[in-house]
Amino acid sequence: ELEYDAVSPAQRGHTMLEGFDVCMLLRKATLKRLRVGIVPLTAAGVRHMLHVRVQVKKNGACLALATAHCTAGKEEVMQRTATAEKDVTWSAIEALTIDGCIFAGDTNMHAEEVIPQQYREQWDDAWEVDGANATLSGTWCQDWMETTHPLVQSWRFDQFFLAKLFYRNVPQEAVT
């Protein structure tokens, strides 16, 4: 038997409009999959957030795990789309959270962007908690930058947010 449970939007009947998509691997020894869902990030529905409700086997805590790949681009319409996607993402993960939530995804946030103020009390950016320099947490390359530029290499392209809403003592191995 496989040690991991693979979860993808294809299991919910979604097709990959861009030729790639998001997925999750759940460690079966630690987590029991309860429910899988999809949240469209925009009305056009090109991008979406995959979320899975799981139960931690060790203590019964119910967690929401979510991932998404947000739009990136410099054109005004793309930036508006990206902002709308992030707003939907924050609202959706807040609504899905029971005992706790972990969001890990490619948010394409700019270097100066942080968790929106209205969510900072409930959420932590894992890299900031770990002591990383928040000014290097952006995912945006300027026109003059090549992907080999030293600044680009120091940026992360995915973000990992943790809810501060754990009501039960969730063991560390449940989220690693």
Side-chain angles (χ1 to χ4, degrees):
E1 182 180 352
L2 298 175
E3 293 181 41
Y4 292 89
D5 183 9
V7 180
S8 80
Q11 294 168 328
R12 301 289 298 168
H14 284 260
T15 57
M16 298 172 278
L17 300 175
E18 295 182 301
F20 63 89
D21 214 330
V22 296
C23 70
M24 286 188 231
L25 291 175
L26 308 175
R27 189 181 303 166
K28 288 182 178 181
T30 308
L31 302 171
K32 176 183 176 185
R33 176 172 52 159
L34 301 176
R35 182 177 150 221
V36 176
I38 305 288
V39 175
L41 295 181
T42 62
V46 173
R47 302 222 178 190
H48 50 268
M49 181 181 78
L50 173 65
H51 63 87
V52 183
R53 183 160 291 151
V54 299
Q55 184 174 39
V56 179
K57 289 182 177 181
K58 189 170 187 174
N59 67 4
C62 190
L63 305 178
L65 308 177
T67 187
H69 181 210
C70 296
T71 297
K74 293 186 178 201
E75 296 81 21
E76 185 178 339
V77 67
M78 292 182 87
Q79 289 182 351
R80 282 196 315 266
T81 299
T83 298
E85 288 174 352
K86 289 173 201 154
D87 289 344
V88 169
T89 298
W90 282 110
S91 297
I93 58 179
E94 185 176 52
L96 293 167
T97 299
I98 295 176
D99 292 322
C101 182
I102 298 169
F103 174 86
D106 189 345
T107 59
N108 285 307
M109 291 171 75
H110 298 113
E112 68 278 2
E113 290 180 300
V114 295
I115 296 173
Q117 187 61 42
Q118 66 267 35
Y119 300 110
R120 290 213 54 97
E121 282 190 31
Q122 294 95 8
W123 291 89
D124 278 324
D125 182 319
W127 281 275
E128 289 177 18
V129 169
D130 193 37
N133 183 344
T135 62
L136 300 178
S137 66
T139 64
W140 189 257
C141 298
Q142 304 299 320
D143 280 337
W144 55 270
M145 289 182 171
E146 296 294 324
T147 56
T148 55
H149 189 281
L151 284 176
V152 175
Q153 292 175 358
S154 70
W155 290 347
R156 66 177 193 265
F157 291 86
D158 299 313
Q159 303 214 235
F160 197 93
F161 301 116
L162 305 168
K164 299 178 189 176
L165 300 173
F166 290 109
Y167 298 121
R168 304 180 216 183
N169 184 21
V170 178
Q172 181 60 33
E173 63 269 15
V175 295
T176 57

